[in-house]
Amino acid sequence: MKKIIVSILSYIIIFFNSNLSSNENNQVLKIGLLAPLTGEYKELGNSLLYSLQLALDEIGDDKVFVIPRDSGFGNKNKLNNAIKDIRSQGAKIVIGPINNEDFNEVKKFSDMTFISPSNISPEFTGNVISVGISLESQLTALFNFIKKQKK
């Protein structure tokens, strides 16, 4: 699972690290990271954050700046506040698991692009790019694996 996340995040960062996506004044690409950093799925959120940091270390590009924010899980207010904060810091690209119910929430932020590894089938609608991984099924599989390993 971690290898998949690192691979996806590495690809996304390399793909979007261009002059079109970066700030013209200082050439820094600002990327928002939405993850459940508190609550029931905080382990997954922290894993996403560490995976992104690992991907950035592997790439070795110091001109990529990540803005991590807690999106909670199923909490529209927390999600909206996190997105507003990321936007206020100048990021136009946001990576992170967004469930299908929250797609309508993020579509309100039409000036930003959201890349979500959380949908069962790939989808490109408006400002949301879903890469076809079910968040719920992945969370269930992770927790079952952890229980099975007694960790």
Side-chain angles (χ1 to χ4, degrees):
M1 172 72 177
K2 271 191 176 178
K3 288 182 181 182
I4 292 171
I5 291 171
V6 169
S7 296
I8 290 170
L9 294 176
S10 296
Y11 171 77
I12 291 168
I13 290 169
I14 291 169
F15 180 75
F16 282 104
N17 193 8
S18 68
N19 287 338
L20 294 174
S21 298
S22 65
N23 184 322
E24 292 296 327
N25 294 331
N26 58 13
Q27 299 294 312
V28 173
L29 174 63
K30 295 180 180 180
I31 300 175
L33 172 66
L34 292 174
L37 300 175
T38 59
E40 182 180 357
Y41 297 115
K42 68 181 178 184
E43 290 86 12
L44 175 67
N46 286 322
S47 179
L48 286 170
L49 180 58
Y50 297 142
S51 296
L52 182 58
Q53 290 171 337
L54 177 64
L56 289 173
D57 285 344
E58 286 182 18
I59 293 168
D61 190 344
D62 61 349
K63 295 183 180 188
V64 178
F65 181 72
V66 177
I67 306 165
R69 292 296 177 265
D70 183 14
S71 62
F73 185 79
N75 184 332
K76 290 183 182 3
N77 287 333
K78 191 175 261 192
L79 176 65
N80 280 306
N81 289 335
I83 294 170
K84 287 175 185 175
D85 191 35
I86 290 170
R87 181 203 279 167
S88 73
Q89 298 211 23
K92 298 291 185 191
I93 300 166
V94 180
I95 301 170
I98 303 168
N99 61 35
N100 285 332
E101 294 82 29
D102 292 333
F103 276 7
N104 288 331
E105 290 296 313
V106 301
K107 286 179 183 178
K108 295 176 188 175
F109 299 92
S110 60
D111 60 327
M112 302 173 80
T113 301
F114 294 87
I115 302 168
S116 174
S118 64
N119 195 353
I120 293 172
S121 60
E123 182 178 339
F124 298 89
T125 58
N127 61 338
V128 178
I129 300 169
S130 176
V131 292
I133 301 171
S134 169
L135 174 62
E136 291 81 11
S137 67
Q138 292 298 317
L139 291 174
T140 302
L142 282 171
F143 284 118
N144 288 339
F145 176 77
I146 290 169
K147 284 180 186 176
K148 192 176 195 180
Q149 298 296 317
K150 297 179 183 175
K151 297 199 178 209

